[in-house]
Amino acid sequence: MTEPDGIEARLDEIERRCRPLSVEGRVADYIPALGRVPPSKFGMAIAYADGREAWIGDAEEPFSIQSISKVFSLAHALEAIGEDLWRRVGREPSGMAFNSMALLEHEDGIPRNPLINAGAIVVADALLEIRPDWTEAQLDWLGRLAESGGAAFDEEVFASEERHGDLNRSIAWYLKAKDNLRTSPEAATRAYFRACSAAMSCRELARAARFLVRPGCGPAAEHFARPGLRRRIRAIMRTCGLYDAAGDFAYRVGLPAKSGVGGGILAIEPGKFAVAVWSPALDAKGNSLAGQAALEMLVGEAG
Ligand code: DON
């Protein structure tokens, strides 16, 4: 039951059943600033294509969007660069953890897809070449899309990512060695970390993602003029958005989605709505445990 009428009662029930599930997961602590977030937080927000909204719990509290930013960076890059982007990054699921380097060596420095770290670092590099201040522009643009006057930037998370980012820097150096980096490993990882350090609430995220629901949906929708852009981004979310859990999530929920280690998941029901859920405790694959359950409950037996 995902129609706007009666959705509040449905969200109430989802919160009641899913918030307690966080005890079975673990908050990400490899970025220490994320490890301090209380695991019991739970928020969910739906932004319908017609402008209606519904939300529950901690849906108005900003959290670190982390890898969810990769969807917005990809949209930005595809709009700016177009199909040439695919010369430098693939669009197949990786079946690997988000920060794995294993395939990069086999595939000669071409990351499997833009939603794993290696691919997102290539996207960050490609955007830097066009516009050195793209991460600031993206924060402004996210704020416009979310109608919130600018997405917040979490300096503490950014500093923490920089301090503990050796694996991402290794990926960037490897990309450079394989001639798939045009700026520098330092600049590309810094931009990537900056994009991941945006803080948004579930309400803001769901509103900001309305442009993916259908053409002309949400403010600044005109920013995306390329035909087929939304469908293509949703396809990559569906196949690659939850890394090595993408198949299981597709089976359970069936919506294009993107997770972040901050505990957020953004999902899109094409033509109908964008939904964001936040519960910081993660499962073994780095995806919000209660967040996945909440989306599964939301779609219920639909279809
Ligand atoms: O690169 C990292 O490790 C983080 N900035 C982002 C990771 C992330 O959110 C992966 N998603 N589930």
Side-chain angles (χ1 to χ4, degrees):
M1 214 302 295
T2 55
E3 299 308 317
D5 295 331
I7 192 69
E8 275 82 11
R10 184 86 177 133
L11 290 181
D12 263 347
E13 192 195 347
I14 292 174
E15 180 188 15
R16 190 174 48 75
R17 287 179 43 189
C18 296
R19 190 191 282 266
L21 298 179
S22 67
V23 297
E24 293 166 31
R26 275 197 66 196
V27 175
D29 55 8
Y30 78 101
I31 300 170
L34 294 180
R36 291 192 274 280
V37 180
S40 57
K41 295 280 180 188
F42 181 92
M44 194 168 194
I46 304 185
Y48 289 96
D50 65 5
R52 281 189 273 185
E53 284 182 74
W55 64 93
I56 195 88
D58 303 308
E60 293 184 282
E61 193 172 318
F63 61 93
S64 188
I65 70 170
Q66 289 294 312
S67 284
I68 298 173
S69 65
K70 292 169 181 166
V71 170
F72 297 109
S73 306
L74 172 63
H76 208 146
L78 259 187
E79 181 61 29
I81 300 162
E83 295 294 303
D84 278 351
L85 183 68
W86 304 120
R87 294 172 190 269
R88 299 183 55 193
V89 57
R91 40 181 199 248
E92 291 295 341
S94 69
M96 297 271 183
F98 58 88
N99 51 9
S100 169
M101 291 185 71
L103 288 171
L104 209 50
E105 188 172 5
H106 282 283
E107 295 174 354
D108 220 25
I110 304 292
R112 266 287 166 104
N113 68 66
L115 301 184
I116 53 172
N117 290 12
I121 291 169
V122 166
V123 168
D125 178 66
L127 283 168
L128 273 182
E129 256 201 310
I130 305 173
R131 184 168 179 172
D133 68 343
W134 73 265
T135 54
E136 283 69 32
Q138 186 153 296
L139 283 177
D140 277 358
W141 166 67
L142 279 175
R144 267 206 299 146
L145 288 174
E147 297 172 284
S148 64
F153 180 72
D154 191 327
E155 292 284 357
E156 194 195 352
V157 167
F158 175 62
S160 203
E161 291 224 47
E162 282 241 284
R163 214 170 309 120
H164 300 272
D166 286 343
L167 187 50
N168 285 314
R169 276 186 286 270
S170 318
I171 292 172
W173 279 100
Y174 192 82
L175 292 167
K176 178 173 168 6
K178 291 291 173 182
D179 208 20
N180 196 8
L181 210 70
R182 311 263 166 80
T183 62
S184 70
E186 292 85 355
T189 42
R190 197 177 151 80
Y192 164 72
F193 292 147
R194 286 191 74 80
C196 289
S197 302
M200 295 172 81
S201 68
C202 288
R203 275 192 78 193
E204 289 174 316
L205 255 183
R207 284 203 301 250
R210 270 174 305 175
F211 77 95
L212 287 168
V213 173
R214 62 167 161 73
C217 192
E222 76 289 350
H223 187 90
F224 301 101
R226 285 194 190 261
L229 181 109
R230 292 155 185 81
R231 181 172 51 77
R232 294 189 170 114
I233 292 172
R234 290 195 309 255
I236 293 167
M237 291 170 78
R238 197 186 285 282
T239 50
C240 312
L242 272 82
Y243 313 109
D244 44 340
D248 181 59
F249 183 81
Y251 181 81
R252 289 170 62 190
V253 180
L255 299 181
K258 181 75 205 82
S259 61
V261 289
I265 306 179
L266 173 69
I268 309 292
E269 172 79 62
K272 290 191 177 163
F273 60 78
V275 52
V277 59
W278 174 47
S279 166
L282 310 179
D283 67 10
K285 295 194 168 173
N287 299 312
S288 171
L289 203 130
Q292 292 173 85
L295 291 167
E296 193 173 4
M297 258 190 90
L298 179 72
V299 297
E301 298 303 318

